[in-house]
Short mmCIF file of all heavy atoms in Angstrom, two decimals:
data_model
loop_
_atom_site.label_atom_id
_atom_site.label_comp_id
_atom_site.label_asym_id
_atom_site.label_seq_id
_atom_site.Cartn_x
_atom_site.Cartn_y
_atom_site.Cartn_z
N LEU A 103 -138.23 193.55 265.04
CA LEU A 103 -139.13 192.40 265.07
C LEU A 103 -139.12 191.68 266.43
O LEU A 103 -139.94 190.79 266.67
CB LEU A 103 -138.76 191.43 263.97
CG LEU A 103 -138.89 191.98 262.56
CD1 LEU A 103 -138.49 190.94 261.50
CD2 LEU A 103 -140.33 192.43 262.26
N ALA A 104 -138.20 192.04 267.32
CA ALA A 104 -138.06 191.40 268.61
C ALA A 104 -139.38 191.32 269.40
O ALA A 104 -139.67 190.28 270.01
CB ALA A 104 -136.98 192.07 269.45
N PRO A 105 -140.18 192.39 269.42
CA PRO A 105 -141.43 192.30 270.22
C PRO A 105 -142.36 191.18 269.79
O PRO A 105 -143.23 190.74 270.57
CB PRO A 105 -142.10 193.66 269.97
CG PRO A 105 -141.01 194.56 269.63
CD PRO A 105 -140.02 193.72 268.87
N LEU A 106 -142.16 190.68 268.56
CA LEU A 106 -143.02 189.54 268.12
C LEU A 106 -142.56 188.26 268.80
O LEU A 106 -143.34 187.32 268.96
CB LEU A 106 -142.90 189.36 266.61
CG LEU A 106 -143.51 190.40 265.73
CD1 LEU A 106 -143.34 190.04 264.28
CD2 LEU A 106 -145.00 190.56 266.03
N ILE A 107 -141.30 188.23 269.18
CA ILE A 107 -140.70 186.98 269.69
C ILE A 107 -140.70 186.99 271.24
O ILE A 107 -141.02 185.98 271.85
CB ILE A 107 -139.29 186.81 269.12
CG1 ILE A 107 -139.36 186.69 267.60
CG2 ILE A 107 -138.60 185.59 269.71
CD1 ILE A 107 -138.22 187.25 266.88
N VAL A 108 -140.31 188.14 271.77
CA VAL A 108 -140.27 188.24 273.26
C VAL A 108 -141.67 188.35 273.77
O VAL A 108 -142.44 189.24 273.33
CB VAL A 108 -139.42 189.49 273.67
CG1 VAL A 108 -139.38 189.59 275.18
CG2 VAL A 108 -138.03 189.40 273.08
N PRO A 109 -142.08 187.51 274.73
CA PRO A 109 -143.43 187.61 275.27
C PRO A 109 -143.67 188.99 275.91
O PRO A 109 -142.81 189.46 276.70
CB PRO A 109 -143.50 186.53 276.35
CG PRO A 109 -142.32 185.63 276.08
CD PRO A 109 -141.30 186.46 275.37
N SER A 110 -144.74 189.63 275.56
CA SER A 110 -144.93 191.02 276.02
C SER A 110 -145.06 191.08 277.56
O SER A 110 -144.65 192.04 278.17
CB SER A 110 -146.13 191.63 275.35
OG SER A 110 -147.32 190.92 275.69
N LEU A 111 -145.62 190.01 278.13
CA LEU A 111 -145.76 190.03 279.60
C LEU A 111 -144.42 190.16 280.29
O LEU A 111 -144.30 190.77 281.35
CB LEU A 111 -146.45 188.71 280.01
CG LEU A 111 -147.24 188.75 281.31
CD1 LEU A 111 -148.26 189.88 281.32
CD2 LEU A 111 -147.96 187.40 281.53
N ALA A 112 -143.36 189.61 279.62
CA ALA A 112 -142.03 189.63 280.21
C ALA A 112 -141.49 191.04 280.32
O ALA A 112 -140.76 191.34 281.28
CB ALA A 112 -141.09 188.78 279.37
N VAL A 113 -141.89 191.91 279.42
CA VAL A 113 -141.30 193.27 279.45
C VAL A 113 -142.29 194.29 280.03
O VAL A 113 -141.93 195.44 280.26
CB VAL A 113 -140.88 193.73 278.03
CG1 VAL A 113 -139.65 192.94 277.60
CG2 VAL A 113 -142.02 193.60 277.04
N THR A 114 -143.54 193.84 280.23
CA THR A 114 -144.54 194.82 280.69
C THR A 114 -144.16 195.43 282.03
O THR A 114 -144.36 196.64 282.24
CB THR A 114 -145.91 194.13 280.79
OG1 THR A 114 -146.16 193.47 279.57
CG2 THR A 114 -147.02 195.13 281.06
N MET A 115 -143.58 194.64 282.91
CA MET A 115 -143.16 195.15 284.22
C MET A 115 -142.21 196.31 284.02
O MET A 115 -142.33 197.38 284.64
CB MET A 115 -142.46 194.04 285.02
CG MET A 115 -143.39 193.21 285.87
SD MET A 115 -144.28 194.19 287.08
CE MET A 115 -142.93 194.59 288.19
N GLY A 116 -141.20 196.10 283.18
CA GLY A 116 -140.21 197.12 282.92
C GLY A 116 -140.85 198.35 282.33
O GLY A 116 -140.54 199.49 282.72
N ILE A 117 -141.79 198.16 281.44
CA ILE A 117 -142.46 199.31 280.81
C ILE A 117 -143.22 200.08 281.89
O ILE A 117 -143.15 201.32 281.94
CB ILE A 117 -143.45 198.84 279.72
CG1 ILE A 117 -142.71 198.22 278.56
CG2 ILE A 117 -144.34 199.98 279.23
CD1 ILE A 117 -143.62 197.46 277.60
N GLN A 118 -143.87 199.33 282.78
CA GLN A 118 -144.69 199.98 283.80
C GLN A 118 -143.80 200.85 284.70
O GLN A 118 -144.13 202.02 284.98
CB GLN A 118 -145.40 198.94 284.64
CG GLN A 118 -146.59 199.52 285.40
CD GLN A 118 -147.11 198.57 286.45
OE1 GLN A 118 -146.48 197.56 286.79
NE2 GLN A 118 -148.28 198.89 286.98
N ILE A 119 -142.65 200.28 285.11
CA ILE A 119 -141.74 201.05 285.99
C ILE A 119 -141.28 202.34 285.30
O ILE A 119 -141.31 203.43 285.83
CB ILE A 119 -140.56 200.17 286.38
CG1 ILE A 119 -141.03 199.02 287.29
CG2 ILE A 119 -139.50 200.99 287.10
CD1 ILE A 119 -140.03 197.92 287.47
N LEU A 120 -140.88 202.16 284.01
CA LEU A 120 -140.41 203.29 283.25
C LEU A 120 -141.49 204.37 283.09
O LEU A 120 -141.28 205.55 283.23
CB LEU A 120 -139.99 202.78 281.84
CG LEU A 120 -139.00 203.64 281.07
CD1 LEU A 120 -137.64 203.59 281.74
CD2 LEU A 120 -138.90 203.13 279.63
N PHE A 121 -142.72 203.92 282.79
CA PHE A 121 -143.83 204.81 282.55
C PHE A 121 -144.24 205.54 283.82
O PHE A 121 -144.64 206.69 283.76
CB PHE A 121 -145.02 204.08 281.93
CG PHE A 121 -144.89 203.89 280.42
CD1 PHE A 121 -143.65 203.96 279.82
CD2 PHE A 121 -146.03 203.69 279.64
CE1 PHE A 121 -143.54 203.81 278.45
CE2 PHE A 121 -145.90 203.53 278.27
CZ PHE A 121 -144.67 203.59 277.66
N ILE A 122 -144.12 204.85 284.98
CA ILE A 122 -144.43 205.51 286.24
C ILE A 122 -143.48 206.67 286.43
O ILE A 122 -143.85 207.77 286.74
CB ILE A 122 -144.35 204.52 287.40
CG1 ILE A 122 -145.52 203.54 287.37
CG2 ILE A 122 -144.32 205.28 288.76
CD1 ILE A 122 -145.43 202.41 288.34
N ARG A 123 -142.18 206.41 286.13
CA ARG A 123 -141.15 207.44 286.33
C ARG A 123 -141.44 208.66 285.45
O ARG A 123 -141.22 209.79 285.86
CB ARG A 123 -139.76 206.86 285.96
CG ARG A 123 -138.63 207.86 286.22
CD ARG A 123 -137.30 207.18 286.05
NE ARG A 123 -137.11 206.03 286.93
CZ ARG A 123 -136.15 205.13 286.78
NH1 ARG A 123 -135.32 205.22 285.77
NH2 ARG A 123 -136.02 204.15 287.62
N TYR A 124 -141.93 208.48 284.25
CA TYR A 124 -142.19 209.59 283.36
C TYR A 124 -143.65 210.06 283.39
O TYR A 124 -144.07 210.84 282.53
CB TYR A 124 -141.77 209.24 281.92
CG TYR A 124 -140.27 209.09 281.81
CD1 TYR A 124 -139.69 207.85 281.68
CD2 TYR A 124 -139.43 210.20 281.86
CE1 TYR A 124 -138.30 207.71 281.60
CE2 TYR A 124 -138.07 210.09 281.79
CZ TYR A 124 -137.50 208.84 281.66
OH TYR A 124 -136.15 208.70 281.59
N GLY A 125 -144.39 209.56 284.33
CA GLY A 125 -145.77 210.01 284.51
C GLY A 125 -146.69 209.62 283.35
O GLY A 125 -147.65 210.30 283.05
N LEU A 126 -146.37 208.50 282.71
CA LEU A 126 -147.18 208.11 281.57
C LEU A 126 -148.24 207.10 281.95
O LEU A 126 -149.10 206.76 281.11
CB LEU A 126 -146.28 207.53 280.48
CG LEU A 126 -145.41 208.56 279.74
CD1 LEU A 126 -144.34 207.86 278.93
CD2 LEU A 126 -146.27 209.40 278.79
N VAL A 127 -148.15 206.55 283.16
CA VAL A 127 -149.18 205.59 283.55
C VAL A 127 -150.53 206.32 283.74
O VAL A 127 -150.53 207.52 284.01
CB VAL A 127 -148.83 204.83 284.86
CG1 VAL A 127 -147.80 203.73 284.57
CG2 VAL A 127 -148.38 205.76 285.93
N ASP A 128 -151.59 205.59 283.56
CA ASP A 128 -152.96 206.11 283.72
C ASP A 128 -153.28 207.19 282.69
O ASP A 128 -154.21 207.97 282.87
CB ASP A 128 -153.18 206.73 285.14
CG ASP A 128 -152.96 205.68 286.21
OD1 ASP A 128 -152.77 204.50 285.85
OD2 ASP A 128 -152.97 206.06 287.38
N THR A 129 -152.49 207.26 281.58
CA THR A 129 -152.85 208.25 280.55
C THR A 129 -153.09 207.54 279.22
O THR A 129 -152.56 206.46 278.97
CB THR A 129 -151.69 209.27 280.33
OG1 THR A 129 -150.58 208.55 279.86
CG2 THR A 129 -151.35 210.01 281.60
N ILE A 130 -153.92 208.19 278.38
CA ILE A 130 -154.14 207.68 277.04
C ILE A 130 -152.83 207.59 276.28
O ILE A 130 -152.54 206.62 275.60
CB ILE A 130 -155.14 208.60 276.28
CG1 ILE A 130 -156.50 208.58 276.94
CG2 ILE A 130 -155.23 208.20 274.80
CD1 ILE A 130 -157.57 207.75 276.33
#
Side-chain angles (χ1 to χ4, degrees):
Chain A
L103 298 179
L106 291 181
I107 297 147
V108 180
S110 62
L111 206 53
V113 290
T114 308
M115 272 300 288
I117 294 168
Q118 199 192 14
I119 292 166
L120 202 70
F121 277 22
I122 288 171
R123 183 172 302 165
Y124 292 106
L126 288 165
V127 282
D128 301 353
T129 63
I130 296 259

